[in-house]
Amino acid sequence: MNKYLLNGKLTAKPGHQEALAAILLQASELVATAKGCRLYVIGQNPDDPHSVYITEIWDSKADHDQSLKVEGVRELISQAMPLLDGPPAKGQELELLGGAGI
């Protein structure tokens, strides 16, 4: 299976986790129709009140990269950046082996 799987974690400044999550949920709606998007979900860990987690599955890395050109995505990125507690860390790229619903 040659899918592209990306796990990411963004850490918000104190008090901004909900706003960051809301922006990422808006982004998920925009990229849901992008070519190759199989999954784009946002989560949180109750034990980590400042972070928001993103899990993405794409048909290819190229499809993921193209999703950054979807109308409105760059605007959402610019809204999210001031909420972050430092620069975003590079997401964890994994080889997708398979699973239910894929």
Side-chain angles (χ1 to χ4, degrees):
M1 179 171 286
N2 292 329
K3 304 280 187 219
Y4 179 71
L5 171 60
L6 182 64
N7 282 322
K9 174 184 171 185
L10 296 175
T11 302
K13 293 176 182 172
H16 292 282
Q17 187 231 29
E18 285 185 28
L20 179 60
I23 290 169
L24 292 169
L25 288 168
Q26 288 177 32
S28 74
E29 292 175 16
L30 291 178
V31 300
T33 60
K35 178 183 177 286
C37 182
R38 300 295 170 201
L39 179 79
Y40 190 105
V41 294
I42 309 304
Q44 63 183 16
N45 178 344
D47 296 328
D48 184 359
H50 301 294
S51 297
V52 180
Y53 296 80
I54 307 102
T55 300
E56 306 175 52
I57 298 175
W58 296 85
D59 284 341
S60 68
K61 184 174 184 329
D63 287 341
H64 168 266
D65 294 346
Q66 279 297 113
S67 74
L68 298 174
K69 296 179 182 176
V70 169
E71 186 175 338
V73 169
R74 290 281 180 198
E75 179 181 302
L76 291 173
I77 291 170
S78 69
Q79 291 175 19
M81 292 304 285
L83 304 178
L84 298 180
D85 189 17
K90 181 175 173 22
Q92 184 181 30
E93 296 175 321
L94 300 170
E95 179 183 350
L96 181 61
L97 301 177
I102 302 300

